[in-house]
Amino acid sequence: MTVISEVVSLILSAVSAIMGFYLITIVSGIFFLSELFAILSARSNSEKIYERFYKDENMRLYSFYDEHFSVRSSKGAAFINYDTLKKIVFDKNYILFLMPNGTNYVIAGNKIDHADLIDFLKSKAEKLKGK
């Protein structure tokens, strides 16, 4: 009887050691995979943020005409009549075009080299104030 109990005890010890090893392996694997997923998703999110805010912003093209201006980007185009604008705001750092529906178009003021374009936009802003 003691031999059988010793064999059973030995088998149970071996099984528990193997199960403990597998448990440690499984927990370590879960931790590793969660860290790997967090790193990959953070990289993916940062690429999406770059694509949305920086890459597209560098690809915008504003064109100004007598009655309207257009904004073209990789996502589409918009054609806005000056008389539909709510307001044009000038600052030393930017020019902001406010739409009645809450859409805003912003141009960095230091990117405009033509003084005649700024004068033209200021004249359009004065007409909007008179509305």
Side-chain angles (χ1 to χ4, degrees), residues 13-124:
S13 297
V15 168
S16 66
I18 291 170
M19 294 306 286
F21 174 75
Y22 281 124
L23 182 64
I24 290 171
T25 304
I26 290 170
V27 169
S28 299
I30 291 171
F31 178 74
F32 174 75
L33 289 176
S34 66
E35 289 297 315
L36 182 64
F37 178 73
I39 290 168
L40 292 177
S41 65
R43 181 176 180 180
S44 174
N45 287 341
S46 64
E47 288 172 356
K48 288 177 186 175
I49 290 170
Y50 173 78
E51 291 286 329
R52 183 173 177 199
F53 292 108
Y54 297 105
K55 188 174 182 182
D56 187 52
E57 188 67 27
N58 293 333
M59 294 178 62
R60 284 203 179 149
L61 175 66
Y62 288 83
S63 301
F64 296 94
Y65 304 96
D66 288 336
E67 299 299 320
H68 72 281
F69 70 95
S70 65
V71 182
R72 296 177 195 264
S73 72
S74 61
K75 296 180 181 178
F79 302 92
I80 298 102
N81 289 326
Y82 294 112
D83 57 352
T84 61
L85 289 173
K86 182 177 176 184
K87 191 176 186 181
I88 301 175
V89 177
F90 291 89
D91 187 86
K92 65 179 181 175
N93 297 323
Y94 62 86
I95 299 173
L96 180 64
F97 299 91
L98 302 173
M99 300 287 295
N101 64 358
T103 304
N104 299 324
Y105 296 96
V106 179
I107 302 175
N110 57 1
K111 292 187 178 183
I112 299 177
D113 295 333
H114 303 288
D116 54 343
L117 176 59
I118 293 174
D119 292 338
F120 171 75
L121 292 174
K122 284 184 178 180
S123 71
K124 295 295 183 182

